[in-house]
Amino acid sequence: MTTPPPQGNPFAQGQQQPYGQPQGQAPFPQQAGQPGFPPLGAPMPPQQQGRKISFKTIKNVVIVLIVAGVAIGGWIASRDDAAAAAVGDCMHRGSTDDNNPDLEVVDCGDVKAQYKVLAKVEGNFSGLTAQSKCEAESKDFEYVYTETNGSKSFLLCLKDK
């Protein structure tokens, strides 16, 4: 009867296993449930990368900001037109065209101030009804300005400043 040959390299001399370790195992295996490092030879998990913002997302945000800026700028610019006028405000005529005088509200101390608003009446008025309405609202008016814009139609009764 023959005995099987010993495991490992039969020609290696002087190799000894660490004390208390059975033959064929790693010298210090990781204990089950022990936190810490992954077992030897295990692949490292990939590092979590921060969220990357795509060019398309940045482009869309920039477009939204530009559109919002233009809309807000237009709203602010339109606040100084005839629709924003109130009784006592002063107006400047920006155009010589009688059909579109381009009235804008200015400070009464400004050299551009040409007219003073005596009355503002909401509603849709034609030439003759506008004249009679201004006569009823303010006796010393000199000019009538009407703007027809659907539900935002109005009449301004003006005089020279």
Side-chain angles (χ1 to χ4, degrees):
M1 183 182 240
T2 62
T3 59
Q7 296 284 340
N9 185 353
F11 300 105
Q13 296 181 0
Q15 280 190 335
Q16 294 182 351
Q17 293 291 333
Y19 294 111
Q21 292 293 324
Q23 196 173 13
Q25 289 189 356
F28 301 104
Q30 182 166 349
Q31 302 292 322
Q34 184 181 31
F37 300 102
L40 294 175
M44 295 293 290
Q47 290 184 351
Q48 292 182 353
Q49 296 183 2
R51 180 179 174 150
K52 292 184 180 182
I53 300 175
S54 70
F55 176 75
K56 184 178 179 181
T57 302
I58 294 171
K59 179 187 72 159
N60 290 340
V61 168
V62 168
I63 288 172
V64 167
L65 290 175
I66 289 172
V67 169
V70 168
I72 291 170
W75 178 76
I76 290 172
S78 71
R79 291 186 341 160
D80 289 339
D81 63 3
V87 174
D89 284 347
C90 291
M91 307 292 292
H92 170 72
R93 182 178 179 152
S95 170
T96 58
D97 182 7
D98 286 339
N99 293 325
N100 186 13
D102 191 27
L103 291 178
E104 64 178 335
V105 177
V106 293
D107 184 59
C108 289
D110 193 341
V111 295
K112 294 189 325 181
Q114 297 169 300
Y115 310 106
K116 186 163 190 158
V117 178
L118 301 177
K120 182 175 183 178
V121 183
E122 302 295 325
N124 193 356
F125 300 95
S126 64
L128 290 176
T129 58
Q131 289 280 11
S132 63
K133 191 65 174 178
C134 277
E135 284 175 4
E137 294 290 325
S138 175
K139 301 277 186 234
D140 58 344
F141 82 96
E142 297 173 13
Y143 309 102
V144 174
Y145 173 80
T146 60
E147 188 169 307
T148 305
N149 189 8
S151 65
K152 296 182 181 184
S153 299
F154 63 92
L155 162 71
L156 295 178
C157 304
L158 308 169
K159 77 170 189 171
D160 286 326
K161 181 177 175 296

